[in-house]
Amino acid sequence: MRRKIAKFSILPVFAGCMFFSFSTREAANLEIEGYSTSNLDLNYTVALVEESELAKDLSLKRPLPKLGKSYDGFKEALGFKESRGNYQTVNEFGYMGKYQFGIGTLELLGIYNGAEFLNSPELQEAAFYTNASRNKWILIRDIARFEGKVINGVKVTESGILAAAHLAGPGSVKKYLRSWGAQSFSDAFGTSIRNYMKKFGGYDTSFVQPEQNPRVNMKAFRA
């Protein structure tokens, strides 16, 4: 996927102090064992479909389901943003389906057949959860450290972090959070981590359980 990386070299003077000033509760949250991300690929991403491309398909002109701030509300809102909820969408960069996965990310999740993926809504939903589970495992320390903080005018929430990881990859989200927003990311259409943190903040994503290297059980879709 073509993407733009925006890096800013000037940090606020007070950022360094803020970075290390955590409450006792937050410090305790950081004592999470077993969440090492060394040797993991953290730069996988998904992609958005251009609005003009989506407008060509009249069948996609339907309202976003009213699911509130639940996990279902989170994934449906994200899927609507990515593709207007179209399971068979392929964008100009080859990203596929309702949630716009690239084949590289799918392979991390144990999915190797793009055509099979594109033609199975159930498989796409399983891939979304599995990817979110992997991202939550990678970002668990950052969720504990930054949730509730305000970065670039946006309150950080777990769902916002997971949405941003879906867009930019967990590695980019780590850099964004740990630089207090100075190291940012924008995709080929100009959508940024801050955009996703704001748009998808405040959902209940406790349903997603963190897992180090989750895989989709492909046998369940071939029975």
Side-chain angles (χ1 to χ4, degrees), residues 32-44 133-142 170-171 174-175 178 210-213:
I32 302 171
E33 298 298 331
Y35 287 101
S36 172
T37 58
S38 60
N39 300 318
L40 285 181
D41 180 358
L42 305 184
N43 296 316
Y44 53 90
S133 176
R134 186 178 197 272
N135 287 340
K136 190 169 182 177
W137 189 90
I138 291 169
L139 291 162
I140 195 70
R141 290 180 181 273
D142 298 280
K174 277 182 177 289
K175 291 177 183 178
R178 295 181 183 188
E211 187 174 346
Q212 182 174 7
N213 284 306

Side-chain angles (χ1 to χ4, degrees), residues 47-65 74-91 95-100 124-125 166 189 191 196 199-200:
L48 288 172
V49 178
E50 271 190 301
E51 296 293 330
S52 58
E53 180 182 343
L54 293 169
K56 297 175 184 177
D57 188 345
L58 298 179
S59 68
L60 302 181
K61 293 184 177 180
R62 58 183 183 273
L64 181 65
F74 170 72
K75 72 183 184 65
E76 292 304 320
L78 190 53
F80 193 79
K81 174 64 175 175
E82 297 288 345
S83 71
R84 292 299 190 270
N86 187 343
Y87 288 105
Q88 295 191 319
T89 293
V90 179
N91 82 351
Y95 287 77
M96 302 178 291
K98 178 179 177 179
Y99 301 105
Q100 291 293 278
Q124 292 188 36
E125 295 296 339
H166 186 80
F189 303 120
T191 304
Y196 263 40
K199 187 173 184 67
F200 299 106

